[in-house]
Amino acid sequence: MLNKKTVEDLKNIQGKRVLVRCDFNVPLKNGEITDETRIVAALPTICKLIEGGAKVILCSHLGKVKNGPNEGESLAPVAKRLSEKLGKEVVFVSDYNVTGEAATKAVAEMKDGDVVLLQNTRFRGKEETKNGEKFSKELADLADDYVCDAFGSSHRAHASVAGVTKFITEKGGTNAVGYLMQKEIDFLGNAVENPVRPFVAILGGAKVADKLNVINNLLEKCDTLIIGGGMAYTFLKAQGKGIGQSLVDDTKIDYCKEMMEKAEKLGKKLLLPVDTTVAKSFPDPIDAPIEVSVVSSDAIPDDMQGLDIGPKTAELYAEAVKTAKTVVWNGPMGVFENPILAKGTIAVAKALAETEATTIIGGGDSAAAVNQLGFADKMSHISTGGGASLEFLEGKELPGVAAADDK
Ligand code: AMP
């Protein structure tokens, strides 16, 4: 259970300035927000503070901001959409300095229950991403208390996520987590630390190297670990199978062997594809029509590459999900961007939609797949943070959580 102060623990907030770090890193196309999930997810905390009569100061990053501040990565569209969602004005401080004079003035003019949104925190470059003290203090200077509700950014020790809390503490304020953080941590934390068993973890995606610690940690916690996607072929090669031209990470063969031995020692089931959908080459463009065939996983032709799990594997994985009580899923089973190679990912998503188990989708591509298929409301929880949920599944403490005050 989360032992950190939450937004409910903030006392006497009437008239207080509360800085809330949100995750408003929404996808934009031609200046329009194409998915408002993250804005909607931030509403409960914001509404709670408005109702309590706080002066609500919001901040967030948006995009990577590789070439310095620019209008394309301004949070202006978020201010507009948020204002529509809240049914009240959100004052947007468009100043690229984020915390400068304009922000100070806007905050000074706030009345109780007002909402101000600061500009993209990454416009401050390394001051934000390297957890700079000056920027951290400037953020804290605008507020009395601080709430981190940016789960999708909580694995990063940035100024607006971590650094700011030190200065809030120095001035006697409280650092809490918001409702979204609480919900994410409750679902992911319970699944990993206190799962109703059988607990099945499904991992897919491109590379083994990206998920080394996740595989290791989940193997200890789950009853069955299912591997699909590009990373499965390094495991198959480690078993001595020929994998043709499939994606492989030769430096991780020993690691895969070690994980298979560990599973055996711990008495855990580790499921790998028994059949594979193969093609002569990777589709180009990725969604181009492609000729495929299905082969047994120990008979992948030398000139072919595996691009999805096969139908027998999909059935095997669906069966494991059917009898589970808790399922955590991160990463597609194949090159799901191509409809011909999306069958394995769809089969797993469908199995999760149909099971009675608590189902948790760890963000990123698997969340996108579940949303596209219209299964979102059939899942117990879809994480808003891909990278953060992966680090959580690795068993790491997230900086955004660590920085909050203990209860
Ligand atoms: P990740 O970012 O690690 O979750 O990986 C997601 C990517 O893995 C998607 O873009 C998929 O197209 C890709 N992927 C999944 N299976 C395979 C495969 N068998 N071969 C190559 N790429 C794959």
Side-chain angles (χ1 to χ4, degrees), residues 205-207 210-211 229-230 233 247 282 306-307 331-332 334-337 365:
K207 296 191 215 130
D210 294 340
K211 298 197 177 141
Y233 302 98
L247 198 64
F282 198 87
L307 296 171
V335 183
F336 78 109
E337 295 92 337
D365 286 334

Side-chain angles (χ1 to χ4, degrees), residues 204-207 210-211 228-233 246-247 277 282 286 305-309 330-338 341 345 364-366 390:
K207 296 191 215 130
D210 294 340
K211 298 197 177 141
M231 57 195 251
Y233 302 98
S246 307
L247 198 64
T277 299
F282 198 87
I286 200 160
Q305 57 182 293
L307 296 171
D308 192 13
I309 56 171
N330 187 294
M333 296 291 100
V335 183
F336 78 109
E337 295 92 337
N338 187 308
L341 303 168
T345 303
D365 286 334
S366 8
L390 266 185

